[in-house]
Amino acid sequence: MLSAYPELVEFLPCESPKAWVNWALENQTLLLNDHAHCEKKAASTAMNLMYRYVDRDNLLHKMSRLAREELLHFEQVHKLMRKRNVTYDHLSASRYADGLRKHIRTHEPARLVDIMIIGAFVEARSCERFAVLAPYLDDELSKFYISLLKSEARHFEDYLELAQEYSKEPIDERVAFFRDLEEKLITEPDTEFRMHSGPPA
């Protein structure tokens, strides 16, 4: 499935550990719950960017579309959860997003560039995880995750394009910095399962 998105595969530093895939299959209720939270957070992030950067025309266009799609995905996950009698609960955040965001530079436009690069990694990793899980899930959930691949892959591209558009210099070095961080967050053990956690400790 990911062979259709070679740029995404090349962008990510590594595949999801097999131990994480097994952990996800053992925790499908939690997987759906955290997935719903991830979609809601993604929509919220896009909206916050629209409020903060009102003078960035291309950002407004892309983030408006992204927010609508992420909210639709949230509704779809929530519908699946209701159908399966899965309660939508509060969850603590994984260390993944915070582990990336704590390295965001504080001055502009570097701050915006870093936020865009992190957004690209989050979307790309989500896409990769949907793809690696889909073959092992029940038919309904598998089809749903496969249906998300195209939009999530486009979101990754949108974030990366915006990062380059708003940077005053090439972003390769900054992308490499966050790629190293992302690999550690994905491969180092975690005590709690999440959509973006590492393998079980």
Side-chain angles (χ1 to χ4, degrees):
M1 279 176 285
L2 281 175
S3 59
Y5 308 101
E7 298 88 356
L8 187 148
V9 173
E10 185 179 343
F11 179 69
L12 288 172
C14 62
E15 296 179 0
S16 290
K18 183 64 177 174
W20 178 87
V21 176
N22 294 333
W23 205 15
L25 298 175
E26 295 165 3
N27 289 276
Q28 293 188 39
T29 296
L30 190 51
L31 174 71
L32 285 171
N33 212 320
D34 195 45
H35 181 185
H37 280 284
C38 288
E39 298 292 2
K40 194 168 68 172
K41 286 175 194 169
S44 176
T45 296
M47 290 294 294
N48 287 338
L49 288 166
M50 291 175 69
Y51 278 109
R52 186 178 182 101
Y53 298 100
V54 296
D55 58 336
R56 309 279 184 163
D57 187 68
N58 201 22
L59 181 148
L60 292 173
H61 170 69
K62 289 184 182 295
M63 291 300 107
S64 175
R65 182 182 181 184
L66 189 147
R68 290 196 304 273
E69 290 184 341
E70 301 289 20
L71 280 175
L72 174 61
H73 295 166
F74 169 77
E75 292 167 10
Q76 291 171 327
V77 180
H78 195 232
K79 183 178 179 181
L80 273 171
M81 291 170 69
R82 289 202 310 269
K83 184 177 179 181
R84 295 166 182 239
N85 296 314
V86 175
T87 304
Y88 183 49
D89 290 322
H90 288 288
L91 291 176
S92 60
S94 71
R95 64 190 175 92
Y96 179 83
D98 286 342
L100 294 171
R101 289 187 184 126
K102 69 182 180 182
H103 296 281
I104 292 173
R105 294 169 290 183
T106 55
H107 58 285
E108 297 290 2
R111 181 181 188 277
L112 175 57
V113 172
D114 283 354
I115 291 171
M116 294 292 109
I117 292 172
I118 289 169
F121 275 108
V122 173
E123 297 291 340
R125 181 58 65 186
S126 297
C127 189
E128 188 262 351
R129 295 216 144 161
F130 295 148
V132 297
L133 286 173
Y136 305 104
L137 298 169
D138 63 76
D139 192 53
E140 181 182 46
L141 199 50
S142 178
K143 285 179 179 176
F144 174 55
Y145 276 12
I146 291 169
S147 76
L148 295 180
L149 292 179
K150 189 172 182 180
S151 59
E152 298 292 347
R154 189 180 64 255
H155 296 167
F156 140 72
E157 292 171 346
D158 285 346
Y159 272 119
L160 209 55
E161 287 170 9
L162 289 170
Q164 187 59 76
E165 178 179 344
Y166 298 132
S167 178
K168 294 179 179 178
E169 55 197 11
I171 63 171
D172 298 3
E173 188 174 317
R174 203 63 187 157
V175 168
F177 171 79
F178 282 110
R179 182 182 282 121
D180 288 343
L181 278 177
E182 208 265 352
E183 182 171 19
K184 289 173 185 164
L185 290 165
I186 287 298
T187 57
E188 289 177 355
D190 267 307
T191 55
E192 290 186 311
F193 171 80
R194 293 291 185 270
M195 175 65 79
H196 293 93
S197 63

